[in-house]
Amino acid sequence: MPRVELRFQWARLGDLSGVEFHAAMVQRVAVFVVEQNCVYQEADTLDPVAWHLLAWSGGQLAAYLRLADPGTNYPEPSLGRVLTAPAFRGQGAGQQLLAEALRRGDQLWPGQANRISAQQYLLKFYQGFGFAPVSEVYLEDNIPHVEMLRPG
Ligand SMILES: CC(C)(COP(=O)(O)OP(=O)(O)OC[C@H]1O[C@@H](n2cnc3c(N)ncnc32)[C@H](O)[C@@H]1OP(=O)(O)O)[C@@H](O)C(=O)NCCC(=O)NCCS
């Protein structure tokens, strides 16, 4: 598969420009609200306290996630809002994004696990990065999810 080349940008919300955060929110709303047809609170109280990871391809935002500090979403660090913009899917952006986030998380909080609320259809994707399911399937905003833990 062709592999897209990405430039990673890590920042707290206050260190992103308005244009950068807008680009992230456009993709988050496009994917999680519009594409997944889900009415829920997309911008929330984690945004001001999380790390944001923007993956750029030229001037376009190709992929994005946020990394919540321990004690904010879960007791452990927690990845969320993992997305690849539709135009960049199937080119390894999701793989590179996850690898970068886990590398950074291990650097920030050595030895700490990462706990996520994963959409069930991506179980295998996350298992490939060392996450294991630790809950039954549950509905979050009407979408089937599984809690998964990656040991530190
Ligand atoms: C999940 C997502 C980020 C993957 O992004 P991507 O850049 O296309 O992924 P990659 O090209 O790096 O592929 C990585 C792996 O993801 C998995 N994957 C991607 N799309 C998938 C799908 N629709 N169903 C199941 N697995 C999928 C596969 O395991 C794939 O590996 P493979 O190509 O060896 O089979 C992207 O499909 C997306 O943004 N989905 C919508 C948002 C979402 O549901 N986010 C997760 C919230 S928990």
Side-chain angles (χ1 to χ4, degrees), residues 74 79 82 115-127 131 133 135-138 140 143-149:
Y74 288 116
L79 300 175
V82 177
R115 187 182 296 270
I116 60 173
S117 180
Q119 293 194 21
Q120 187 192 9
Y121 83 103
L122 290 171
L123 203 75
K124 286 205 167 64
F125 174 61
Y126 289 116
Q127 281 174 329
F131 286 91
S135 79
E136 298 298 315
V137 177
Y138 55 92
E140 188 177 305
I143 293 177
H145 280 76
V146 181
E147 197 170 299
M148 301 185 80
L149 191 69

Side-chain angles (χ1 to χ4, degrees), residues 15 23 35 44 54 60 69 115 117 124 126 129 140 142:
D15 296 321
E35 179 182 298
D44 65 10
L54 288 73
Q60 287 183 282
D69 292 37
R115 187 182 296 270
S117 180
K124 286 205 167 64
Y126 289 116
F129 287 95
E140 188 177 305
N142 236 10

Side-chain angles (χ1 to χ4, degrees), residues 72-89:
T72 57
N73 191 32
Y74 288 116
E76 302 86 0
S78 176
L79 300 175
R81 302 292 199 272
V82 177
L83 72 82
T84 296
F88 290 92
R89 290 196 188 148

Side-chain angles (χ1 to χ4, degrees), residues 20-79:
E20 289 160 348
F21 189 58
H22 178 256
M25 288 310 302
V26 165
Q27 289 304 330
R28 282 172 44 176
V29 171
V31 171
F32 294 111
V33 179
V34 180
E35 179 182 298
Q36 300 194 345
N37 192 23
C38 185
V39 177
Y40 84 123
Q41 187 63 48
E42 175 48 39
D44 65 10
T45 52
L46 274 184
D47 284 321
V49 294
W51 284 103
H52 300 267
L53 174 57
L54 288 73
W56 298 95
S57 170
Q60 287 183 282
L61 187 67
Y64 167 90
L65 60 70
R66 70 182 182 186
L67 176 57
D69 292 37
T72 57
N73 191 32
Y74 288 116
E76 302 86 0
S78 176
L79 300 175

